[in-house]
Amino acid sequence: MDLKYEKRYDGLLEKKWTSVTKLAQKIGRLEMQNKQLREDLKDPHNKKVNSSMALPRGPAKHICQSHKGPITCVIFHPVYTQVVTASEDCTIKIWDYEEGDLEKTMKGHIDVVQYLTFNKEGTLLASCSADLTVKVWHVQNRQCIKTMRGHDHTVSCVQFTDSGDRLFSCSRDKTIKIWDVQSGYCLKTIEAHKEWVRQVKISQCSSMFASCSIDHTIKVWDYKKMEEIVTFRDHEHVVESIIFSHEKADQYLMKHVKGSNGKSEDKKSKVAAEKKAKANGTATKRPYTPKFLASCSRDRTIKIFHISSGIMIANIIGHENWVGSIVFHPSGKYLLSGADDKTIRVWDLEKRFRCYRILEDAHDPFVRCIDYNYKKPVLASGGVENNLKIWECH
């Protein structure tokens, strides 16, 4: 009995002490941050650099190692100081990005986990996999609460609508499916592309969604009518990723649309919308409708399209290999990209889309995915070498 007791509790005191030490360090950092914030409030005219314009700098603050296969997706939690990764090792891992510590490993898929997405509140996490399923996880207890089956091939991307009651998925079976989150039933199947649909993304206003494919095309769809609005055929290779712009980015991008002075068109449309809402007695703030869509491809380019006119306004060249992931900076002034040339690049949307910064050798051999935290200036990236990296932004 004594021997079993000793084995069971061997090293427990050291582990507990390590946890206490880490928590004490975290409390110390939070107290320092709190002190700094109080000082900033006392001096509203301080001339420090605006954190909203902060950009990532090397070296990485944390290199997180636990996955046994390449990381396929990285995404920040919308509320907590957590970042979540998916991997070819069939697992999903939750990390504390401030400490770089692994908090939880979630298992349920039996093949490569391709993509992750949170609902708006961060209470639910959805994942999709090469095992042909879409799973919905309860974030608090970290348990799978729903498994959706219906695709005939690898499910490559999944996205919640803004309301959170619908889930979109796309697949190598060339289709996009719309699911009811509560029941898990497939509500609609769209024959979207001629080849594998790589990603599907929903606009914040949920009035439209977009899809890209290995058939080199990008399609924008009307959500209510379920009809195709426009197709872009400008890429010369597989389109890996797409993303809708946000309001701040549109203020910079509109300057590149011929016949527009940027802000004036935005103001006119806002005023018209406000007048219409007041007349209808529905003067509440509505989600913003994006004007642009950005894409990246194996043709080594990043392209930006004006949705309403169907015109490509930017063809960004600079990466030396496939570009796999893009994200708009919260300030709207920059676009960040990760590629198979081992770099993460920052592009200035105001100054003719020039390359503003390069993080060399971000991952070896490839940068697989990136995400920017809109709550705090932090960038996360995942690589083929199985590592998650956390980059501080200054």
Side-chain angles (χ1 to χ4, degrees):
M1 289 293 292
D2 292 340
L3 184 62
K4 288 182 179 180
Y5 183 88
E6 288 177 3
K7 285 183 178 180
R8 182 178 178 183
Y9 294 101
D10 185 37
L12 183 61
L13 182 60
E14 288 82 0
K15 290 178 181 178
K16 291 289 185 182
W17 180 249
T18 302
S19 299
V20 170
T21 304
K22 286 182 177 179
L23 286 171
Q25 291 172 348
K26 188 171 184 178
I27 290 168
R29 280 194 292 272
L30 289 171
E31 286 176 346
M32 288 179 65
Q33 289 175 15
N34 186 38
K35 183 180 178 181
Q36 187 62 58
L37 288 169
R38 287 179 182 275
E39 289 176 359
D40 291 345
L41 285 171
K42 289 178 183 177
D43 182 17
H45 303 292
N46 67 74
K47 296 182 179 180
K48 292 183 179 179
V49 177
N50 186 357
S51 62
S52 66
M53 300 297 284
L55 294 172
R57 294 180 184 270
K61 180 183 178 182
H62 298 299
I63 300 176
C64 308
Q65 299 174 322
S66 179
H67 280 296
K68 296 178 181 178
I71 294 176
T72 55
C73 182
V74 58
I75 182 172
F76 283 102
H77 191 281
V79 180
Y80 306 135
T81 59
Q82 295 173 331
V83 63
V84 186
T85 52
S87 170
E88 290 186 12
D89 65 10
C90 311
T91 68
I92 300 165
K93 292 181 184 287
I94 301 174
W95 311 78
D96 181 327
Y97 66 73
E98 288 187 338
E99 303 298 325
D101 294 334
L102 176 64
E103 293 189 349
K104 178 72 175 179
T105 298
M106 300 193 296
K107 298 179 180 180
H109 288 290
I110 57 174
D111 209 331
V112 176
V113 185
Q114 298 280 357
Y115 207 84
L116 303 167
T117 185
F118 281 107
N119 67 347
K120 188 177 179 180
E121 296 76 20
T123 55
L124 297 177
L125 173 73
S127 60
C128 61
S129 169
D131 64 10
L132 316 190
T133 68
V134 174
K135 290 182 180 289
V136 178
W137 307 77
H138 192 280
V139 173
Q140 190 172 5
N141 61 30
R142 295 165 185 178
Q143 297 294 320
C144 179
I145 59 173
K146 197 79 65 179
T147 299
M148 304 170 185
R149 296 178 174 86
H151 282 293
D152 298 325
H153 213 311
T154 298
V155 190
S156 49
C157 188
V158 64
Q159 286 278 294
F160 278 104
T161 57
D162 189 63
S163 61
D165 61 342
R166 298 287 184 268
L167 199 60
F168 279 58
S169 64
C170 64
S171 167
R172 196 171 179 175
D173 65 13
K174 309 174 188 179
T175 69
I176 296 170
K177 289 184 182 290
I178 304 171
W179 309 83
D180 179 75
V181 174
Q182 187 172 4
S183 66
Y185 293 144
C186 179
L187 303 176
K188 190 171 183 64
T189 299
I190 303 169
E191 300 292 334
H193 289 266
K194 295 178 181 178
E195 298 291 345
W196 184 351
V197 188
R198 296 289 292 177
Q199 279 195 355
V200 60
K201 294 292 178 68
I202 309 167
S203 65
Q204 186 182 2
C205 61
S206 295
S207 63
M208 57 185 169
F209 62 95
S211 58
C212 64
S213 169
I214 71 168
D215 65 10
H216 308 182
T217 68
I218 302 162
K219 295 185 178 184
V220 181
W221 307 77
D222 185 299
Y223 181 27
K224 291 182 179 179
K225 297 179 181 178
M226 289 296 165
E227 295 176 354
E228 185 181 326
I229 299 172
V230 62
T231 300
F232 300 107
R233 296 183 173 87
D234 299 83
H235 281 291
E236 297 175 358
H237 209 316
V238 173
V239 185
E240 289 284 356
S241 183
I242 50 176
I243 186 168
F244 281 104
S245 60
H246 54 70
E247 188 170 4
K248 290 182 179 178
D250 283 355
Q251 291 174 6
Y252 289 97
L253 293 172
M254 282 304 297
K255 296 173 184 177
H256 301 282
V257 178
K258 291 182 179 180
S260 171
N261 59 2
K263 291 185 179 180
S264 62
E265 185 174 321
D266 288 343
K267 285 180 180 179
K268 287 178 182 178
S269 61
K270 278 185 179 180
V271 170
E274 286 173 3
K275 285 182 178 179
K276 186 177 180 181
K278 286 180 180 179
N280 296 333
T282 57
T284 57
K285 188 177 180 180
R286 296 182 179 182
Y288 180 75
T289 302
K291 294 178 172 59
F292 297 89
L293 183 74
S295 62
C296 62
S297 167
R298 293 183 187 178
D299 63 13
R300 306 181 183 184
T301 70
I302 300 164
K303 300 183 190 296
I304 302 177
F305 303 93
H306 186 227
I307 297 169
S308 62
S309 66
I311 296 171
M312 180 179 70
I313 66 159
N315 182 34
I316 303 171
I317 300 172
H319 279 293
E320 298 171 4
N321 211 329
W322 296 356
V323 190
S325 186
I326 49 175
V327 61
F328 280 102
H329 190 271
S331 69
K333 190 177 188 297
Y334 304 103
L335 180 74
L336 292 86
S337 59
D340 286 8
D341 59 8
K342 305 182 185 180
T343 70
I344 296 172
R345 298 181 186 237
V346 180
W347 308 91
D348 193 325
L349 303 183
E350 184 179 30
K351 298 181 178 179
R352 299 183 180 180
F353 309 103
R354 69 181 179 90
C355 185
Y356 184 81
R357 181 171 296 172
I358 302 176
L359 297 179
E360 299 280 1
D361 297 317
H363 289 273
D364 190 7
F366 306 137
V367 181
R368 193 74 175 268
C369 49
I370 61 172
D371 191 29
Y372 196 101
N373 187 355
Y374 275 38
K375 299 292 183 182
K376 291 185 178 181
V378 180
L379 178 77
S381 62
V384 174
E385 84 287 17
N386 311 349
N387 293 341
L388 164 71
K389 291 190 178 184
I390 306 298
W391 308 83
E392 282 190 315
C393 301
H394 306 284

